[in-house]
Amino acid sequence: YRDLYTFELQAPTRLIECARGNRVCVATNGQSDGNEILQLIPPPALLTKETQGLCPERDFKVECGGISECPVYSLKYVPDTSLLVTSGPSDSSLQVWQVSAEDSDVIKSVSTIATENGIAQSWAKIATISARTPWVLHGSRLDRVQITEVESRKNVYTAASRGSEELSNLAFLDCNTLLLCCATGRLCLGDIRQPQALMEAVSVPLAPCSEQWCMGTRHGAQCSELSSQPVARLSSRGLLTLIDLRKTSEFLALAKARVPSPGSGAEFLCVSWAPALEGYLAISGFDGTVHVYDSQSWDSSGREAEPIFVHKGHAFGGAGGSRDPPLVTVHTWHLQKPRTLLSAASDGSLHVWDWVQPCGKC
Protein backbone atom coordinates (compact mmCIF):
# COMPACT_ATOMS: atom_id res chain seq x y z
CA TYR A 1 0.00 0.00 0.00
CA ARG A 2 0.94 3.62 -0.43
CA ASP A 3 -1.88 4.67 1.92
CA LEU A 4 -4.48 2.82 3.99
CA TYR A 5 -7.00 4.46 6.31
CA THR A 6 -9.80 2.80 8.26
CA PHE A 7 -13.00 3.94 9.93
CA GLU A 8 -15.43 1.87 11.99
CA LEU A 9 -19.16 2.42 11.54
CA GLN A 10 -21.82 1.21 13.96
CA ALA A 11 -23.61 -1.12 11.54
CA PRO A 12 -23.03 -2.97 8.25
CA THR A 13 -22.49 -0.63 5.33
CA ARG A 14 -23.67 -1.61 1.85
CA LEU A 15 -22.98 1.47 -0.25
CA ILE A 16 -20.51 4.31 -0.74
CA GLU A 17 -21.00 7.35 -2.93
CA CYS A 18 -18.19 9.76 -3.84
CA ALA A 19 -18.76 13.32 -4.95
CA ARG A 20 -16.61 16.08 -6.36
CA GLY A 21 -15.07 18.10 -3.58
CA ASN A 22 -13.73 14.96 -1.84
CA ARG A 23 -16.92 14.19 0.06
CA VAL A 24 -18.00 10.61 0.73
CA CYS A 25 -21.50 9.50 1.63
CA VAL A 26 -22.23 6.14 3.27
CA ALA A 27 -25.40 4.49 4.54
CA THR A 28 -25.56 1.92 7.32
CA ASN A 29 -28.34 -0.61 7.85
CA GLY A 30 -29.06 -1.04 11.55
CA GLN A 31 -31.34 -3.72 12.94
CA SER A 32 -33.79 -1.63 14.94
CA ASP A 33 -32.40 1.83 15.67
CA GLY A 34 -32.73 3.36 12.21
CA ASN A 35 -30.36 3.60 9.29
CA GLU A 36 -27.70 6.28 9.22
CA ILE A 37 -26.81 8.38 6.19
CA LEU A 38 -23.46 10.06 6.80
CA GLN A 39 -21.39 12.51 4.76
CA LEU A 40 -17.71 12.09 5.60
CA ILE A 41 -14.62 14.16 4.91
CA PRO A 42 -11.70 11.80 4.09
CA PRO A 43 -8.42 12.10 6.02
CA PRO A 44 -6.62 15.31 5.01
CA ALA A 45 -3.37 13.37 4.62
CA LEU A 46 -4.99 11.28 1.88
CA LEU A 47 -5.51 14.39 -0.23
CA THR A 48 -1.87 15.46 -0.21
CA LYS A 49 0.64 14.41 -2.84
CA GLU A 50 3.22 13.24 -0.32
CA THR A 51 3.45 9.56 0.58
CA GLN A 52 2.06 9.07 4.09
CA GLY A 53 2.60 5.33 4.58
CA LEU A 54 0.37 2.90 6.45
CA CYS A 55 -1.96 4.79 8.78
CA PRO A 56 -4.84 2.93 10.46
CA GLU A 57 -6.01 6.02 12.39
CA ARG A 58 -9.74 6.73 12.38
CA ASP A 59 -9.35 10.22 11.06
CA PHE A 60 -12.37 10.50 8.81
CA LYS A 61 -14.58 13.39 9.92
CA VAL A 62 -18.38 13.11 10.06
CA GLU A 63 -19.55 16.34 8.45
CA CYS A 64 -23.30 15.76 8.63
CA GLY A 65 -25.82 12.95 8.91
CA GLY A 66 -29.42 11.84 8.97
CA ILE A 67 -31.63 8.89 9.89
CA SER A 68 -33.76 6.88 7.47
CA GLU A 69 -36.60 4.77 8.84
CA CYS A 70 -36.29 2.45 5.84
CA PRO A 71 -33.23 0.38 4.88
CA VAL A 72 -31.03 2.20 2.36
CA TYR A 73 -29.82 -0.08 -0.46
CA SER A 74 -29.20 2.54 -3.18
CA LEU A 75 -27.86 6.06 -2.74
CA LYS A 76 -26.77 8.66 -5.29
CA TYR A 77 -25.68 12.27 -5.15
CA VAL A 78 -27.58 14.49 -7.59
CA PRO A 79 -24.78 16.25 -9.55
CA ASP A 80 -24.47 20.04 -9.15
CA THR A 81 -26.97 20.09 -6.26
CA SER A 82 -26.96 19.46 -2.51
CA LEU A 83 -29.45 16.60 -2.86
CA LEU A 84 -29.25 12.84 -2.36
CA VAL A 85 -31.68 10.18 -3.59
CA THR A 86 -32.07 6.84 -1.79
CA SER A 87 -34.15 3.67 -2.11
CA GLY A 88 -34.53 0.42 -0.25
CA PRO A 89 -36.79 -2.59 0.35
CA SER A 90 -40.18 -2.52 2.10
CA ASP A 91 -40.97 0.77 0.36
CA SER A 92 -40.91 1.08 -3.43
CA SER A 93 -40.68 4.88 -3.33
CA LEU A 94 -37.55 7.04 -3.54
CA GLN A 95 -36.49 9.41 -0.78
CA VAL A 96 -34.90 12.79 -1.56
CA TRP A 97 -32.54 14.28 1.03
CA GLN A 98 -31.04 17.73 1.50
CA VAL A 99 -27.38 17.76 2.52
CA SER A 100 -27.03 20.44 5.16
CA ALA A 101 -25.47 23.83 4.69
CA GLU A 102 -22.34 24.79 6.57
CA ASP A 103 -24.29 26.01 9.62
CA SER A 104 -26.00 22.65 10.18
CA ASP A 105 -24.92 19.03 10.56
CA VAL A 106 -28.23 17.42 9.54
CA ILE A 107 -29.12 15.57 6.34
CA LYS A 108 -32.90 15.97 6.21
CA SER A 109 -35.60 14.27 4.18
CA VAL A 110 -37.29 16.78 1.87
CA SER A 111 -39.59 14.77 -0.41
CA THR A 112 -40.70 11.35 -1.63
CA ILE A 113 -40.96 10.21 -5.24
CA ALA A 114 -43.69 7.63 -5.67
CA THR A 115 -43.09 4.83 -8.16
CA GLU A 116 -45.68 3.04 -10.26
CA ASN A 117 -46.55 -0.62 -9.82
CA GLY A 118 -44.43 -0.91 -6.71
CA ILE A 119 -44.00 -4.23 -4.91
CA ALA A 120 -43.61 -4.18 -1.14
CA GLN A 121 -40.32 -6.08 -1.04
CA SER A 122 -38.81 -4.65 -4.22
CA TRP A 123 -36.40 -1.72 -4.27
CA ALA A 124 -35.46 0.58 -7.08
CA LYS A 125 -31.97 0.79 -8.52
CA ILE A 126 -31.14 4.43 -9.20
CA ALA A 127 -28.85 6.70 -11.25
CA THR A 128 -28.76 10.50 -11.40
CA ILE A 129 -27.77 13.21 -13.87
CA SER A 130 -28.07 17.00 -14.11
CA ALA A 131 -27.56 17.57 -17.83
CA ARG A 132 -30.79 19.55 -18.23
CA THR A 133 -32.43 19.58 -14.82
CA PRO A 134 -31.71 17.12 -12.01
CA TRP A 135 -33.10 13.73 -13.03
CA VAL A 136 -33.23 10.33 -11.36
CA LEU A 137 -33.42 7.11 -13.38
CA HIS A 138 -35.06 4.39 -11.33
CA GLY A 139 -36.65 0.95 -11.52
CA SER A 140 -36.68 -2.48 -9.93
CA ARG A 141 -37.76 -4.42 -13.04
CA LEU A 142 -37.38 -3.96 -16.78
CA ASP A 143 -41.01 -2.90 -17.25
CA ARG A 144 -40.88 -0.33 -14.43
CA VAL A 145 -38.07 1.97 -15.54
CA GLN A 146 -38.72 5.70 -15.37
CA ILE A 147 -36.92 9.03 -15.31
CA THR A 148 -38.28 11.59 -12.86
CA GLU A 149 -37.35 15.23 -12.29
CA VAL A 150 -35.99 15.26 -8.75
CA GLU A 151 -37.33 18.64 -7.65
CA SER A 152 -40.73 18.74 -9.39
CA ARG A 153 -41.25 14.92 -9.21
CA LYS A 154 -42.55 15.06 -12.78
CA ASN A 155 -42.21 11.92 -14.89
CA VAL A 156 -40.23 12.67 -18.06
CA TYR A 157 -39.65 9.16 -19.46
CA THR A 158 -41.07 5.65 -19.15
CA ALA A 159 -39.31 2.75 -20.86
CA ALA A 160 -41.46 0.50 -23.02
CA SER A 161 -40.73 -3.16 -22.36
CA ARG A 162 -42.69 -6.39 -22.40
CA GLY A 163 -40.23 -8.08 -20.10
CA SER A 164 -40.41 -7.97 -16.32
CA GLU A 165 -36.92 -9.21 -15.45
CA GLU A 166 -35.36 -8.02 -12.22
CA LEU A 167 -32.76 -5.27 -12.65
CA SER A 168 -29.33 -5.38 -11.03
CA ASN A 169 -28.00 -2.01 -12.31
CA LEU A 170 -28.93 0.95 -14.45
CA ALA A 171 -26.94 3.96 -15.62
CA PHE A 172 -27.02 7.13 -17.69
CA LEU A 173 -24.50 6.88 -20.55
CA ASP A 174 -25.13 10.50 -21.56
CA CYS A 175 -27.99 12.97 -21.32
CA ASN A 176 -30.10 10.99 -23.83
CA THR A 177 -29.03 7.37 -23.44
CA LEU A 178 -29.47 4.90 -20.60
CA LEU A 179 -28.29 1.34 -20.04
CA LEU A 180 -30.12 -1.33 -18.03
CA CYS A 181 -28.62 -4.59 -16.74
CA CYS A 182 -30.93 -7.43 -15.72
CA ALA A 183 -29.95 -9.93 -13.05
CA THR A 184 -29.84 -12.52 -15.85
CA GLY A 185 -27.07 -10.50 -17.56
CA ARG A 186 -29.27 -9.13 -20.33
CA LEU A 187 -28.33 -5.56 -21.33
CA CYS A 188 -30.84 -3.12 -22.81
CA LEU A 189 -30.21 0.34 -24.28
CA GLY A 190 -32.82 3.07 -24.02
CA ASP A 191 -33.07 6.51 -25.62
CA ILE A 192 -35.30 9.18 -24.08
CA ARG A 193 -35.92 10.58 -27.58
CA GLN A 194 -37.38 7.21 -28.62
CA PRO A 195 -39.31 5.82 -25.64
CA GLN A 196 -41.22 3.28 -27.72
CA ALA A 197 -38.77 0.42 -27.21
CA LEU A 198 -35.57 -0.79 -25.59
CA MET A 199 -32.78 -2.26 -27.72
CA GLU A 200 -31.09 -5.41 -26.44
CA ALA A 201 -27.29 -5.41 -26.51
CA VAL A 202 -25.06 -8.48 -26.80
CA SER A 203 -26.24 -11.45 -24.75
CA VAL A 204 -24.18 -13.15 -22.06
CA PRO A 205 -22.23 -16.36 -22.70
CA LEU A 206 -24.08 -19.61 -22.11
CA ALA A 207 -24.40 -19.90 -18.33
CA PRO A 208 -26.49 -21.66 -15.68
CA CYS A 209 -29.94 -20.15 -15.13
CA SER A 210 -29.11 -19.55 -11.48
CA GLU A 211 -26.17 -17.30 -12.32
CA GLN A 212 -26.64 -13.64 -11.39
CA TRP A 213 -24.98 -10.65 -13.07
CA CYS A 214 -24.16 -7.00 -12.45
CA MET A 215 -22.52 -4.33 -14.63
CA GLY A 216 -20.11 -1.41 -14.44
CA THR A 217 -19.86 1.57 -16.81
CA ARG A 218 -17.22 4.27 -17.18
CA HIS A 219 -17.91 7.76 -15.88
CA GLY A 220 -18.73 9.83 -18.96
CA ALA A 221 -19.42 13.43 -19.79
CA GLN A 222 -22.75 14.77 -18.61
CA CYS A 223 -24.10 15.50 -22.06
CA SER A 224 -21.74 13.94 -24.58
CA GLU A 225 -23.00 11.73 -27.35
CA LEU A 226 -22.66 7.99 -26.94
CA SER A 227 -19.02 7.17 -27.70
CA SER A 228 -16.56 4.46 -26.82
CA GLN A 229 -17.87 3.35 -23.45
CA PRO A 230 -16.73 -0.10 -22.36
CA VAL A 231 -19.22 -1.98 -20.24
CA ALA A 232 -18.12 -4.74 -17.87
CA ARG A 233 -20.43 -7.48 -16.61
CA LEU A 234 -19.61 -9.70 -13.65
CA SER A 235 -21.37 -12.96 -12.80
CA SER A 236 -21.78 -14.74 -9.48
CA ARG A 237 -19.30 -17.38 -10.79
CA GLY A 238 -16.68 -14.70 -11.43
CA LEU A 239 -17.04 -14.52 -15.22
CA LEU A 240 -16.21 -11.09 -16.68
CA THR A 241 -17.36 -9.88 -20.10
CA LEU A 242 -16.39 -6.60 -21.77
CA ILE A 243 -18.30 -5.00 -24.64
CA ASP A 244 -18.22 -1.73 -26.58
CA LEU A 245 -21.70 -0.27 -26.98
CA ARG A 246 -20.85 1.01 -30.46
CA LYS A 247 -20.51 -2.62 -31.60
CA THR A 248 -22.73 -4.83 -29.47
CA SER A 249 -22.61 -7.89 -31.71
CA GLU A 250 -19.37 -9.19 -30.20
CA PHE A 251 -17.35 -9.23 -27.00
CA LEU A 252 -14.24 -7.14 -26.50
CA ALA A 253 -12.95 -9.68 -24.00
CA LEU A 254 -13.90 -12.59 -21.75
CA ALA A 255 -12.08 -13.53 -18.56
CA LYS A 256 -12.54 -15.53 -15.38
CA ALA A 257 -11.85 -13.75 -12.11
CA ARG A 258 -10.00 -15.57 -9.39
CA VAL A 259 -12.83 -15.72 -6.85
CA PRO A 260 -13.04 -18.10 -3.89
CA SER A 261 -16.61 -19.38 -4.02
CA PRO A 262 -18.05 -19.83 -7.51
CA GLY A 263 -21.81 -19.91 -7.53
CA SER A 264 -22.23 -17.84 -4.36
CA GLY A 265 -25.03 -15.33 -3.87
CA ALA A 266 -25.10 -12.13 -5.86
CA GLU A 267 -26.48 -9.63 -3.34
CA PHE A 268 -23.23 -7.65 -3.07
CA LEU A 269 -21.67 -8.24 -6.51
CA CYS A 270 -19.86 -5.10 -7.65
CA VAL A 271 -17.71 -4.30 -10.70
CA SER A 272 -16.42 -0.80 -11.44
CA TRP A 273 -14.11 0.92 -13.90
CA ALA A 274 -11.29 3.17 -12.73
CA PRO A 275 -12.21 6.71 -13.85
CA ALA A 276 -8.59 7.76 -14.43
CA LEU A 277 -6.75 4.53 -15.37
CA GLU A 278 -7.41 3.16 -18.83
CA GLY A 279 -8.58 -0.46 -18.77
CA TYR A 280 -8.45 -0.94 -15.00
CA LEU A 281 -11.43 -2.33 -13.10
CA ALA A 282 -12.18 -3.70 -9.63
CA ILE A 283 -14.56 -6.41 -8.40
CA SER A 284 -15.89 -7.43 -4.99
CA GLY A 285 -18.78 -9.19 -3.28
CA PHE A 286 -17.39 -12.73 -3.07
CA ASP A 287 -15.53 -12.53 0.25
CA GLY A 288 -13.61 -9.98 2.31
CA THR A 289 -11.37 -8.83 -0.54
CA VAL A 290 -11.38 -6.38 -3.47
CA HIS A 291 -9.54 -7.43 -6.66
CA VAL A 292 -8.06 -4.93 -9.11
CA TYR A 293 -7.43 -6.03 -12.73
CA ASP A 294 -5.82 -4.53 -15.81
CA SER A 295 -8.08 -5.68 -18.66
CA GLN A 296 -5.95 -4.33 -21.51
CA SER A 297 -4.27 -7.71 -22.08
CA TRP A 298 -7.50 -9.76 -22.02
CA ASP A 299 -8.78 -11.58 -25.09
CA SER A 300 -11.87 -13.66 -25.87
CA SER A 301 -10.48 -16.94 -24.51
CA GLY A 302 -12.19 -16.69 -21.13
CA ARG A 303 -9.08 -17.85 -19.27
CA GLU A 304 -8.40 -16.93 -15.66
CA ALA A 305 -7.15 -13.39 -15.16
CA GLU A 306 -4.41 -12.49 -12.70
CA PRO A 307 -5.28 -9.56 -10.40
CA ILE A 308 -2.62 -6.86 -10.15
CA PHE A 309 -3.64 -6.10 -6.56
CA VAL A 310 -5.86 -7.68 -3.89
CA HIS A 311 -7.05 -5.65 -0.92
CA LYS A 312 -7.38 -8.03 2.04
CA GLY A 313 -7.79 -5.47 4.80
CA HIS A 314 -11.41 -6.29 5.59
CA ALA A 315 -10.71 -10.01 5.80
CA PHE A 316 -7.91 -9.57 8.35
CA GLY A 317 -8.98 -6.42 10.14
CA GLY A 318 -12.61 -7.16 10.99
CA ALA A 319 -14.31 -6.40 14.27
CA GLY A 320 -13.45 -8.80 17.06
CA GLY A 321 -15.93 -11.41 18.19
CA SER A 322 -17.53 -11.94 14.81
CA ARG A 323 -18.06 -15.58 13.90
CA ASP A 324 -18.34 -15.10 10.15
CA PRO A 325 -15.52 -13.37 8.26
CA PRO A 326 -16.49 -9.94 6.91
CA LEU A 327 -17.91 -9.72 3.40
CA VAL A 328 -17.11 -6.69 1.25
CA THR A 329 -20.50 -5.18 0.47
CA VAL A 330 -19.40 -2.42 -1.92
CA HIS A 331 -16.40 -0.56 -3.32
CA THR A 332 -15.91 2.55 -5.41
CA TRP A 333 -13.04 4.53 -6.96
CA HIS A 334 -11.97 7.98 -5.82
CA LEU A 335 -12.84 10.42 -8.60
CA GLN A 336 -9.61 12.43 -8.54
CA LYS A 337 -6.89 10.06 -7.27
CA PRO A 338 -6.23 7.35 -9.91
CA ARG A 339 -5.34 4.36 -7.71
CA THR A 340 -7.41 5.20 -4.64
CA LEU A 341 -10.46 3.08 -3.78
CA LEU A 342 -12.95 2.99 -0.94
CA SER A 343 -14.52 -0.23 0.30
CA ALA A 344 -17.00 -1.18 3.03
CA ALA A 345 -17.82 -4.51 4.66
CA SER A 346 -20.52 -6.31 6.59
CA ASP A 347 -18.71 -5.68 9.90
CA GLY A 348 -19.07 -1.88 9.57
CA SER A 349 -15.47 -1.28 8.47
CA LEU A 350 -14.79 1.45 5.91
CA HIS A 351 -11.39 1.52 4.19
CA VAL A 352 -9.81 3.97 1.79
CA TRP A 353 -6.61 2.73 0.17
CA ASP A 354 -4.07 3.46 -2.53
CA TRP A 355 -1.92 0.63 -3.82
CA VAL A 356 1.64 0.82 -5.09
CA GLN A 357 1.79 0.50 -8.87
CA PRO A 358 3.47 -2.78 -9.95
CA CYS A 359 6.88 -2.44 -11.59
CA GLY A 360 6.78 -2.18 -15.37
CA LYS A 361 3.28 -0.65 -15.45
CA CYS A 362 2.60 2.90 -16.47
Side-chain angles (χ1 to χ4, degrees):
Y1 294 97
R2 180 174 285 110
D3 293 294
L4 171 61
Y5 297 87
T6 70
F7 186 69
E8 298 299 330
L9 298 160
Q10 299 303 308
T13 303
R14 64 179 298 142
L15 47 87
I16 309 170
E17 175 74 356
C18 289
R20 301 288 176 182
N22 294 311
R23 295 303 191 264
V24 177
C25 198
V26 299
T28 65
N29 286 281
Q31 297 298 318
S32 59
D33 54 350
N35 306 281
E36 290 186 303
I37 301 174
L38 303 174
Q39 181 165 281
L40 308 175
I41 301 176
L46 177 72
L47 308 179
T48 67
K49 294 183 179 180
E50 298 179 3
T51 299
Q52 300 296 318
L54 186 66
C55 183
E57 298 175 2
R58 301 177 181 181
D59 47 4
F60 282 82
K61 178 183 177 182
V62 178
E63 187 174 30
C64 53
I67 299 293
S68 172
E69 296 180 358
C70 300
V72 180
Y73 280 23
S74 288
L75 179 151
K76 292 292 180 183
Y77 281 110
V78 181
D80 305 321
T81 74
S82 58
L83 300 175
L84 297 167
V85 181
T86 65
S87 68
S90 77
D91 187 346
S92 60
S93 63
L94 311 180
Q95 284 69 50
V96 181
W97 304 80
Q98 176 76 53
V99 178
S100 301
E102 294 181 358
D103 59 348
S104 173
D105 60 359
V106 176
I107 297 177
K108 62 180 180 179
S109 176
V110 293
S111 66
T112 298
I113 297 175
T115 57
E116 296 182 6
N117 302 318
I119 300 175
Q121 295 303 315
S122 67
W123 56 281
K125 283 65 177 180
I126 54 180
T128 55
I129 197 171
S130 290
R132 297 180 177 90
T133 59
W135 285 354
V136 56
L137 169 65
H138 56 94
S140 60
R141 295 186 177 276
L142 198 57
D143 57 352
R144 296 177 188 144
V145 175
Q146 301 176 49
I147 297 176
T148 303
E149 287 187 355
V150 175
E151 295 172 329
S152 69
R153 287 170 282 177
K154 176 185 175 182
N155 177 268
V156 296
Y157 170 84
T158 299
S161 174
R162 296 179 181 177
S164 59
E165 297 173 57
E166 180 183 358
L167 292 174
S168 59
N169 306 87
L170 41 71
F172 282 106
L173 299 177
D174 55 45
C175 60
N176 294 312
T177 315
L178 52 100
L179 183 65
L180 314 175
C181 180
C182 299
T184 59
R186 180 184 177 194
L187 288 179
C188 292
L189 278 166
D191 192 316
I192 66 171
R193 298 162 295 187
Q194 300 175 353
Q196 293 79 16
L198 295 171
M199 181 182 74
E200 184 171 358
V202 64
S203 60
V204 297
L206 186 62
C209 296
S210 60
E211 194 163 3
Q212 302 290 296
W213 293 78
C214 69
M215 75 168 180
T217 59
R218 288 287 299 269
H219 291 274
Q222 282 277 297
C223 202
S224 62
E225 290 298 318
L226 183 62
S227 59
S228 176
Q229 294 204 34
V231 176
R233 278 177 293 184
L234 171 67
S235 81
S236 53
R237 289 192 303 125
L239 184 63
L240 282 154
T241 73
L242 308 183
I243 66 166
D244 186 333
L245 291 175
R246 297 174 304 174
K247 190 175 182 181
T248 60
S249 60
E250 60 186 43
F251 295 106
L252 289 176
L254 294 172
K256 180 71 170 60
R258 186 176 294 178
V259 296
S261 303
S264 61
E267 183 179 5
F268 300 116
L269 282 185
C270 184
V271 56
S272 63
W273 289 98
L277 290 175
E278 187 68 28
Y280 281 62
L281 54 82
I283 68 169
S284 63
F286 297 92
D287 58 5
T289 66
V290 181
H291 291 203
V292 179
Y293 292 91
D294 180 358
S295 69
Q296 294 177 93
S297 62
W298 293 358
D299 54 28
S300 58
S301 66
R303 64 173 179 264
E304 185 175 270
E306 181 76 23
I308 63 169
F309 188 82
V310 180
H311 174 57
K312 301 179 180 180
H314 295 285
F316 295 113
S322 176
R323 290 185 177 181
D324 298 324
L327 172 67
V328 172
T329 53
V330 68
H331 73 267
T332 191
W333 295 79
H334 194 283
L335 297 180
Q336 283 86 38
K337 295 179 73 69
R339 288 188 300 277
T340 298
L341 291 94
L342 298 95
S343 54
S346 56
D347 63 349
S349 59
L350 172 65
H351 292 181
V352 54
W353 41 281
D354 189 335
W355 86 89
V356 176
Q357 187 73 15
C359 295
K361 298 288 185 179
C362 60

